[in-house]
Amino acid sequence: MPDDVFIAISGEALHSKSKVYVSRALARKSLGDLDEYQLWASLALELLGKAALARKHPSLIVDPTHWQSMFVAAGINVTTDVKTITAKTLFERLAHLVPRFDKTIQKFCEGIAERRNAELHSADLPFRAMRLDAWEARYWHACDTVLQEMGSSLEHWLGATDAKAPRRLLDEAANAIDAAVKLRVNAARDKFKALKKSVRDRLAAEATLREPQHQAALFRDRFDEVWVETCPSCGCRAFMTGEQTGEDISEERDEYAVWEIVDREFIGEEFRCPTCELSLIGSDEIKATGLSYVHEDQQERELQYEPDYGND
């Protein structure tokens, strides 16, 4: 990473500016101006996300089609007109960087950015149409998720006093999710137990024959992998899907082997049980059941060798 990063793409500078903007957001809320509250909050969220990426490397937030910006990200300051990625690209990248920044959070963040753009660049008034309880708790949850990845917290970002209200909202939202998911699990369990034992046994036997590679149709979106889980409601073979967040080459390999073992990690995004029809969306709902949303496995694949040059 370059030692002297231009301030426009400095992770520390972006983080500091996000703190200024979120402070303005809370100030507008205290005055009852909920439109500007959401406006400044949306700007603070985008800056915070860019700060998280820039701390990994500033090249992650510059426009890859603008070569001058790429040079600046490499520490070669050829311009002061640095172009950065769009909010949509930002949140897509955060979904790969931050394990708990799942599709549910990503779509929420994209939505608030779209409303911000409409507010600034059109005659529409999208913020005025949004009720506070429709976005505020999810907003603080998204911020808290990014801050945890950065080794920070709402308390540090906002200041302990200002953070009390968002933290209370997060606790309330978490409790609501936990209660709703437990009711959903219990309802699916009761429905399954109400079946005749012979029917339950038949369904359980059929579930054991299902293989992950044939379950893509169960899920709303396409993901990198589908794996087996035990359903917390009916105890049958169920499935989870998610995106790969990392891989490492295992050291367990013979010197002359033509295959390598890859340790892979995935973050669960959706859970489906074909037997009792229990459905869970997002890592928060999955976690509320006691299931782990982190999945690790090993894959064997053929070694890829670089071509030899200049030896012919």
Side-chain angles (χ1 to χ4, degrees):
M1 184 179 297
D3 296 326
D4 184 20
V5 178
F6 186 59
I7 191 170
I9 53 174
S10 161
E12 293 307 314
L14 288 162
H15 182 245
S16 296
K17 191 172 182 179
S18 73
K19 292 171 72 174
V20 172
Y21 278 24
V22 78
S23 178
R24 291 179 184 175
L26 291 173
R28 300 315 300 177
K29 181 185 180 183
S30 68
L31 294 174
D33 189 344
L34 300 185
D35 290 8
E36 280 207 31
Y37 172 36
Q38 192 174 173
L39 173 62
W40 287 110
S42 68
L43 293 168
L45 174 59
E46 184 169 343
L47 287 167
L48 181 64
K50 286 182 177 178
L53 288 183
R55 284 188 173 187
K56 295 294 183 181
H57 198 282
S59 63
L60 292 173
I61 65 167
V62 299
D63 182 350
T65 66
H66 190 245
W67 67 265
Q68 295 94 332
S69 298
M70 293 296 292
F71 270 55
V72 173
I76 306 169
N77 294 333
V78 297
T79 183
T80 57
D81 181 24
V82 177
K83 301 187 184 302
T84 59
I85 55 177
T86 65
K88 185 176 187 300
T89 300
L90 164 67
F91 297 130
E92 286 173 348
R93 292 183 180 183
L94 282 175
H96 290 279
L97 174 71
V98 183
R100 291 187 59 223
F101 197 94
D102 57 26
K103 290 291 185 183
T104 303
I105 299 176
Q106 180 186 337
K107 289 178 180 177
F108 165 77
C109 291
E110 289 174 355
I112 197 172
E114 288 171 1
R115 291 195 298 278
R116 188 266 319 285
N117 290 340
E119 181 80 20
L120 294 175
H121 303 299
S122 76
D124 288 342
L125 300 171
F127 288 156
R128 189 159 299 176
M130 285 292 292
R131 301 188 325 274
L132 193 63
D133 60 1
W135 69 272
E136 190 179 36
R138 290 191 292 164
Y139 172 82
W140 293 117
H141 178 47
C143 292
D144 192 49
T145 301
V146 176
L147 285 162
Q148 286 183 37
E149 173 63 25
M150 298 171 70
S152 186
S153 65
L154 280 176
E155 287 77 7
H156 183 266
W157 191 47
L158 301 175
T161 302
D162 286 341
K164 287 181 180 178
R167 179 61 65 188
R168 185 168 59 251
L169 276 174
L170 282 178
D171 291 342
E172 290 172 359
N175 290 336
I177 289 173
D178 189 66
V181 168
K182 285 178 178 175
L183 286 173
R184 198 184 311 163
V185 169
N186 289 338
R189 181 184 296 121
D190 291 344
K191 181 180 176 181
F192 184 73
K193 285 184 175 180
L195 300 172
K196 292 181 179 180
K197 185 178 183 305
S198 59
V199 176
R200 295 200 306 269
D201 291 344
R202 175 177 58 79
L203 291 174
E206 290 174 353
T208 62
L209 303 177
R210 297 189 179 102
E211 296 298 331
Q213 63 268 29
H214 301 140
Q215 307 306 316
L218 284 175
F219 303 99
R220 301 182 308 172
D221 299 311
R222 289 184 174 274
F223 292 98
D224 294 332
E225 189 76 6
V226 178
W227 59 91
V228 173
E229 292 285 353
T230 300
C231 178
S233 289
C234 66
C236 293
R237 186 180 179 94
F239 303 93
M240 195 180 297
T241 189
E243 293 191 342
Q244 185 170 344
T245 56
E247 71 174 34
D248 290 303
I249 306 299
S250 174
E251 296 180 0
E252 302 175 10
R253 178 167 64 86
D254 185 87
E255 181 181 357
Y256 303 103
V258 295
W259 297 85
E260 63 185 0
I261 304 297
V262 182
D263 296 318
R264 305 186 301 170
E265 181 183 85
F266 300 87
I267 297 299
E269 297 273 2
E270 290 187 46
F271 170 93
R272 305 281 181 179
C273 177
T275 303
C276 68
E277 299 182 345
L278 177 66
S279 173
L280 304 168
I281 305 296
S283 57
D284 291 321
E285 289 193 1
I286 293 168
K287 185 179 178 182
T289 67
L291 293 171
S292 174
Y293 58 85
V294 179
H295 173 69
E296 297 176 342
D297 70 7
Q298 287 190 329
Q299 182 185 60
E300 188 177 61
R301 68 187 182 194
E302 188 175 0
L303 281 168
Q304 300 293 318
Y305 294 98
E306 294 291 331
D308 292 330
Y309 294 102
N311 295 327
D312 48 341

